[in-house]
Amino acid sequence: MFISFEGIDGSGKTTQARLLAEHLRAAGHEVVLTREPGGAPGAEEIRRLLVEGAGDRWSPETELLLFTAARRDHLERTIRPALAAGAVVISDRFADSTRVYQGTVRADLRATVDRLHDLMIGIEPDLTLVIDADPAVAMTRLTDRGGNEDRFERFGPGFQQRLRDGFRALAIEAPQRVRLIDAAGSLEDVAARVRAALALVLSAKATA
Ligand code: TYD
């Protein structure tokens, strides 16, 4: 099974991906927890080009190509081998980030994003959990975190609101695969919602 987590910067999806991985491991599953951009040595090198530096360092089109190159490497080196070995793969971001960031918010490139995805990636997660957070709350988390991986965060709060709208639109577009998880409440509240969403999908599969 392939599960992705998505959401705006500071939504808490990274923590939720880790908590779900721990939960599934405790239940006896083999789990590969990975992330994008990155998740393989070459893709991690591309990551640095993408998340550091000035906002105008890349055009949205160049960004799209770099994210897709990183994803292809991640797919070849990490995701496909893990799925073939029978592991559950949990990725902190996947193709929906490109659909929303490069395809909808940074630019109106959705058709190009979809064509490139079909050509070079070709798979979707079985389940995508969008951690749906209020941009104002997410922003305070980011400021507390520090670090230099802030290229996208510096596009500002209006950018984060449009990202949230973009992820919500995807949940309407692909309701079988993409589930919205309310980010309000404690870490454990959100983790329980994540586990409930997964259980629902698994029981639907079992009866299908
Ligand atoms: P990530 O490491 O998930 O950052 P964070 O933990 O702050 O959410 O992702 C880095 C940045 O890259 C993030 O701002 C989202 C952006 N991004 C895209 O614009 N397109 C993509 O396809 C991906 C995977 C990420």
Side-chain angles (χ1 to χ4, degrees):
M1 185 162 197
F2 178 22
I3 301 169
S4 65
F5 278 82
E6 298 281 2
I8 65 173
D9 302 282
S11 58
K13 67 185 168 35
T14 303
T15 304
Q16 292 303 327
R18 180 175 52 76
L19 292 175
L20 184 66
E22 287 168 5
H23 170 75
L24 293 175
R25 282 181 189 134
H29 296 280
E30 186 67 38
V31 178
V32 172
L33 177 61
T34 184
R35 70 160 179 187
E36 290 205 352
E44 290 287 338
E45 289 194 40
I46 298 172
R47 175 188 178 92
R48 234 167 299 130
L49 298 173
L50 281 160
V51 298
E52 296 176 11
D56 64 359
R57 181 179 188 185
W58 309 111
S59 71
E61 288 81 359
T62 310
E63 247 172 58
L64 166 60
L65 291 167
L66 288 169
F67 277 114
T68 306
R71 181 161 306 127
R72 176 73 195 205
D73 188 56
H74 185 211
L75 187 66
E76 290 175 6
R77 311 285 171 125
T78 303
I79 297 175
R80 279 201 194 287
L83 291 174
V88 177
V89 173
I90 300 179
S91 187
D92 179 356
R93 295 195 188 279
F94 191 67
D96 294 315
S97 281
T98 313
R99 293 186 178 109
V100 173
Y101 281 73
Q102 284 68 47
T104 313
V105 178
R106 285 273 285 139
D108 185 10
L109 284 174
R110 180 61 195 275
T112 310
V113 169
D114 287 342
R115 283 167 69 192
L116 208 50
H117 180 84
D118 289 347
L119 273 173
M120 287 296 152
I121 309 299
I123 71 165
E124 297 297 344
D126 300 292
L127 175 64
T128 296
L129 299 162
V130 172
I131 307 299
D132 183 44
D134 178 344
V137 176
M139 225 36 185
T140 45
R141 281 206 196 112
L142 289 177
T143 324
D144 293 347
R145 188 165 69 180
N148 62 344
E149 289 198 336
D150 58 354
R151 186 170 159 255
F152 286 91
E153 291 147 26
R154 281 189 273 116
F155 286 113
F159 185 77
Q160 298 297 327
Q161 182 59 51
R162 285 161 64 217
L163 292 170
R164 183 190 203 184
D165 295 342
F167 282 118
R168 287 182 161 191
L170 276 185
I172 293 168
E173 183 185 317
Q176 294 306 317
R177 176 176 67 83
V178 182
R179 304 292 157 105
L180 284 186
I181 304 290
D182 183 356
S186 69
L187 283 184
E188 184 43 44
D189 292 339
V190 182
R193 289 180 201 127
V194 164
R195 291 195 298 270
L198 177 60
L200 206 68
V201 169
L202 291 178
S203 70
K205 272 189 195 249
T207 54

